[in-house]
Amino acid sequence: MKLLFAFLFMMCISVGLTQEWHKYHRNDVGFAYALTDPDYITTSGRHFRINPYDNSLWMVSQHTIQTIASDGTKQYFHFTNTPILVPPYRLVTFEFLPNKVFILDEYNGIYLYENEELSVLYSTTGLCNGITTYGDSLFILRNNNPMVKWTDQNLYYLFSTGTARRIIVKNNWFWMGRNFGTSGLSLYNQTGIQSSFDYSLRMDPGNYDFKFSPHHDTLYVAGNKGLSLLHNLTFFDSIAPDNTTNMPPGVILDFEFDANDNIWALFGSDAQTPTSIAHYDQATKNWDVHYDTGNANLNFDTYCSIELDNLGNLWMVNQAYIHVLELSTLPDWLSVKQPKLEARVSIYPNPAKETVSIETDVILSEMYLTDQLGKRIRTFNPTEKQFSVAELPSGMYFVEFVTEKGEKSTVKLVKE
C-alpha cells in the first residue's frame, strides 16, 4: 500500500510538470513586428516580461512596444501611431508597479504606461543603463551619473553607480551588475557606500542573470558553471553539475522561481545560443524535467527569455514565436487560438500491460515514447496503429505525436 501511495504521489508531481507546449507565431496573435530585440548582449534589459499584477505580456524590439492583455486585447506602440516615440530611440526592457508599466528607452529616458496611455516619465539622453522597482519606487541607473529614484510622482537623485547596467534592490541594499554575461557584482548601501561581501565560495565571476528568491533573502547568480547562492552577504552554496542530478549542459541564461521555490532555467551553449529549458527541484536537487527541440515544439533560432505568469504557466518568447508550457489554466485568449490535438489522438487501454492501440483522424509523421524526464527512449512507426509496451518497467511514460503539418501533442501513458 505504501508503494502504491508513493507511486501515485510521484504521478501527481510529474503530471503537474510534464505538460504540453503551445507555440504561436507572432502572426497568429496579430503582430507583424519582431517580438524581441535580436541582440540581447549589447543591452541591459529583458525584452520580454509578464506584468505580475495583471498577467499582461510585454515585448519590445528596438523600435516597437507590443503588449497582450490577459483578455487577449493587443496593442502596439511605434512612432507611426505614438507621437512621443521620436526616432532615434532604442526600447530595451520593462518594470512594473500596480497599474503602472515602465519602459526603458536607452536613447531618450523612461516612458510610463498608465490608464491605457503612454507618456514620458523621465526625459534624458544617453540612458544606456537599467531599471528596477522596489516597494512603491522605481530606480533608474545612469552611466557614471547619480542614480534616479522615482516615488510619489517625484524624482530624486541618489549616488553614482559607475558603469553598472543592471540593478536589484532588496532590504535597502543595491546589487549591481554589468552587461549580460560579463563578470562583476557590486553592492552599495543606501548611503551610496560600496560594501564588501564574501565571494570566496562563488563558483565563478560570470553573471548572466541574478535575482533574489521571492520566498527568502537568498540571492542566486547565474554564472558560467551554474548558480551561486548568497545569504547574509556570503556565498555559501551552488547549484552545479557536481552537486545535482540530470543538469543539462551549458550556461544558465535566464531563470525564474515557481510558487514552490523551485527553478525553471533557460540553458544555452553561449550568450546568443539557447538550447533547452529545465526544471530544478530544490528539495531533491534533481533537474526533473528537461525540454529541447528533441522532445518539445520549441524554437531556439534567436535569443529567448522565459517568464512565469501568476497562474504558474511558463512562457518563452523569441523574435518570432510565443511558447507557453501549460502548467495551470491558460488564458482564454490562448485556449481559443489553437485547438488541442489531444482530442484527435487517443491511446487505449491506458493503463496498459502489453499492447497499446492508437486512434486518430490525422496523419502522423512521427511517434515516440519518452520517460518522465523527457528523454526519448523508443521510436515507433507512425503508420502503425499499435505498439507493444510489454517489456517496459511499470511506471509513467509519455507518447509524443507529430502530424504531417508539424503539430505536436503529448499523451500520458501508464504501464502497469
Side-chain angles (χ1 to χ4, degrees), residues 318-334:
N318 62 13
Q319 283 185 267
Y321 290 95
I322 295 174
H323 308 75
V324 57
L325 179 61
E326 185 181 357
L327 297 170
S328 181
T329 304
L330 287 178
D332 289 340
W333 66 270
L334 269 180

Side-chain angles (χ1 to χ4, degrees), residues 4 38 144 172 185 187-189 220 264 267 284 286 334 356 370:
L4 176 61
N144 287 316
N172 293 316
L185 181 68
L187 175 64
Y188 294 82
N189 65 21
Y220 291 67
W264 283 101
F267 285 81
T284 63
N286 178 42
L334 269 180
V356 175
T370 67

